Amino acid sequence: MRETAAREGRSQNAIIIDAIRRYATDRTRRRDEAVARIVAEDAALLDRLAR
């Protein structure tokens, strides 16, 4: 952490905040992709369940 902060000229806190933001964004993106894939692959089943 210290080496990365020093190399990038940022505080350790800024590095941590950035890492958390990236993790949350990536997690949301992966979740959205999974939901889209499920909806596409199981459209007929989801349609039947909705009735």
Side-chain angles (χ1 to χ4, degrees):
M1 185 71 61
R2 287 184 186 134
E3 292 174 10
T4 300
R7 184 175 55 249
E8 295 183 9
R10 301 191 305 159
S11 69
Q12 290 182 40
N13 191 47
I15 299 293
I16 292 167
I17 290 170
D18 188 44
I20 292 168
R21 283 187 181 138
R22 287 180 188 194
Y23 172 80
T25 299
D26 185 55
R27 183 175 178 178
T28 300
R29 180 190 53 77
R30 287 183 289 130
R31 182 208 57 215
D32 292 348
E33 288 173 355
V35 169
R37 187 174 56 252
I38 291 166
V39 169
E41 292 173 0
D42 297 325
L45 173 62
L46 293 170
D47 185 52
R48 287 193 313 265
L49 289 171
R51 293 181 192 181

